[in-house]
Amino acid sequence: MSAGRYAPSPSGDLHLGNLRTALLAWLFARSTGRGFLMRIEDLDRGRDAGAADRQLEDLAELGIDWDGPVVLQTDRGADHDAAIAELSARGLVYECTCTRRDILAAPTAPHAPPGAYPGTCRDRDEAERAAARERILPRRPALRLRVPEGAGELAFEDLLMGRVSGVVDDLVLRRGDGAVAYNLAVVVDDASMGVDQVVRGDDLASSTPRQIVLQRLLGLPTPPAVEYAHVPLVLGPSGARLAKRDGAVTLRELRAAGIGADRVRTQLAVSLGLAAPGESVPAERILARFDPDRLPRDPWVWNPDPT
C-alpha cells in the first residue's frame, strides 16, 4: 500500500508544532490518495506512560484519522536486528567506543558538518577493538555504519524545500545502551509499512541523506520512489522554537483555558492559508482546500491569543 504516516515519540503531549505537522502529513497523504498510517516511535527510554494514548486521542479530536492498527516501534526489533545483521555480514558495521565529547574534540574532515564522526574507531583491528571494549566497561560499544567510499555526500528533492544536500558520516546503527538508532529504525519501518511519502519537521531534513544511504545499502525504496516534504517549524512569540515556556501549547492545556479542538484546528488551518480567522473548518473542508504549492515556506510564529 502506498502511504504517508505520522510517527510521534511518546515523550509527552503533542504541542501545536507537532499537531500542525501531523495535520500536514495527513493532508499530503489524503490529497494524493494514499493511506495514512500511525507509528509510535517508542524506542527511547524517556517515555511518558500514557502519552501515546493521549497523543492519539488529541489527533482524533482534531479530525485526523488513520488506516489500520497503530504500529509500535518497539515491536519491530526483529526487523531492525535483521537489517544490522545484513549490513554487518557485508563488512559495513564496526564497533565504536567514542563518547560525544570525544567526537566533538576530534578534528573532522573538510566540509564535514559540526559533530560529524571523524572515523576514530573505523580501522581498528580486533586487538584494538578488544582493548577499547575493556577500557569503557561496563559501557558497551555502539555500532556504526561504515559508509562506502563515494556514498558520503548526496542530494534529494524535497517537495517544499527543493534540492537538499548533505554529507553523510559513519552514523550510529545501535547505541551503546542497546537501543536501535533513529535513522536505522525509521528507514526499516517506513519500508516495511509501505510508506512512500514522509512529511515531518524541517529540523529533520539534515537526517534524510543518511537515511537515503541506508535505503540504498539495504535495497529499500529510495527517492524518487519515496517523497519527502520537510515542513517549517512553529515558533513561539519570542521567535524561538515553540516550547512549554510559551504557556499553553498543547491541546489539553488550551482546552483547559477554554480553547477547544475546533478553534485549534481553525488556527492551524489559518496558519497554512487554508481558512480565514474565525472561520470554523472541519478537517474535511481543510483537505478539500489543500494545495501544497500554496503552502507557506516560512516558520509560523504562534500567537498565544488564538482567534
Side-chain angles (χ1 to χ4, degrees):
M1 178 178 67
S2 179
R5 51 78 161 172
Y6 185 59
S9 173
S11 56
D13 291 341
L14 300 174
H15 60 57
L16 288 170
N18 308 133
L19 296 172
R20 188 174 188 257
T21 299
L23 177 61
L24 279 166
W26 181 82
L27 289 169
F28 268 97
R30 294 301 192 209
S31 68
T32 54
R34 287 177 166 87
F36 187 64
L37 308 178
M38 192 68 60
R39 181 173 71 238
I40 303 297
E41 299 199 330
D42 57 345
L43 290 177
D44 286 334
R45 293 183 176 181
R47 298 189 294 269
D48 175 359
D53 289 339
R54 297 196 306 273
Q55 291 174 347
L56 295 174
E57 290 170 3
D58 288 351
L59 293 170
E61 190 170 353
L62 284 177
I64 296 171
D65 64 346
W66 53 90
D67 303 301
V70 175
V71 174
L72 298 180
Q73 204 165 44
T74 47
D75 291 340
R76 306 270 310 128
D79 283 352
H80 303 156
D81 292 345
I84 293 174
E86 177 183 339
L87 295 169
S88 182
R90 293 159 57 190
L92 296 176
V93 178
Y94 64 92
E95 293 181 353
C96 175
T97 57
C98 294
T99 65
R100 185 171 300 178
R101 180 179 297 179
D102 295 334
I103 295 169
L104 292 175
T108 56
H111 310 301
Y117 186 66
T120 307
C121 302
R122 195 178 216 263
D123 297 320
R124 285 174 172 168
D125 59 29
E126 182 52 43
E128 291 169 327
R129 285 195 294 271
R133 286 195 295 268
E134 186 72 22
R135 285 195 298 271
I136 67 168
L137 287 174
R139 184 166 62 89
R140 292 180 294 175
L143 298 180
R144 284 189 182 273
L145 176 70
R146 187 187 304 274
V147 176
E149 186 176 352
E153 184 170 2
L154 59 81
F156 68 98
E157 291 297 325
D158 188 274
L159 295 177
L160 295 179
M161 299 178 67
R163 189 171 181 81
V164 178
S165 61
V167 175
V168 181
D169 60 352
D170 285 2
L171 58 139
V172 171
L173 302 174
R174 190 185 299 278
R175 303 195 309 245
D177 63 3
V180 175
Y182 166 77
N183 285 308
L184 186 282
V186 74
V187 163
V188 172
D189 294 346
D190 281 346
S192 175
M193 294 171 67
V195 171
D196 63 356
Q197 183 188 70
V198 177
V199 179
R200 55 191 178 190
D202 61 12
D203 57 325
L204 293 173
S206 61
S207 298
T208 305
R210 291 178 165 194
Q211 293 166 22
I212 292 173
V213 166
L214 280 170
Q215 289 166 347
R216 292 175 177 176
L217 291 175
L218 291 168
L220 302 177
T222 192
V226 178
E227 294 181 350
Y228 287 94
H230 290 89
V231 304
L233 299 179
V234 176
L235 307 181
S238 68
R241 186 171 177 170
L242 188 67
K244 290 185 179 297
R245 63 175 177 272
D246 295 313
V249 295
T250 70
L251 187 59
R252 290 164 190 264
E253 292 169 340
L254 291 165
R255 188 190 303 115
I259 302 165
D262 288 347
R263 289 178 64 188
V264 173
R265 183 174 56 247
T266 292
Q267 191 177 32
L268 295 176
V270 170
S271 79
L272 298 170
L274 300 173
E279 181 185 9
S280 179
V281 282
E284 293 75 13
R285 191 178 305 167
I286 297 172
L287 176 58
R289 298 174 178 178
F290 180 67
D291 180 354
D293 291 335
R294 299 177 62 183
L295 287 175
R297 298 315 199 252
D298 297 322
W300 174 46
V301 179
W302 173 64
N303 178 357
D305 182 21
T307 54

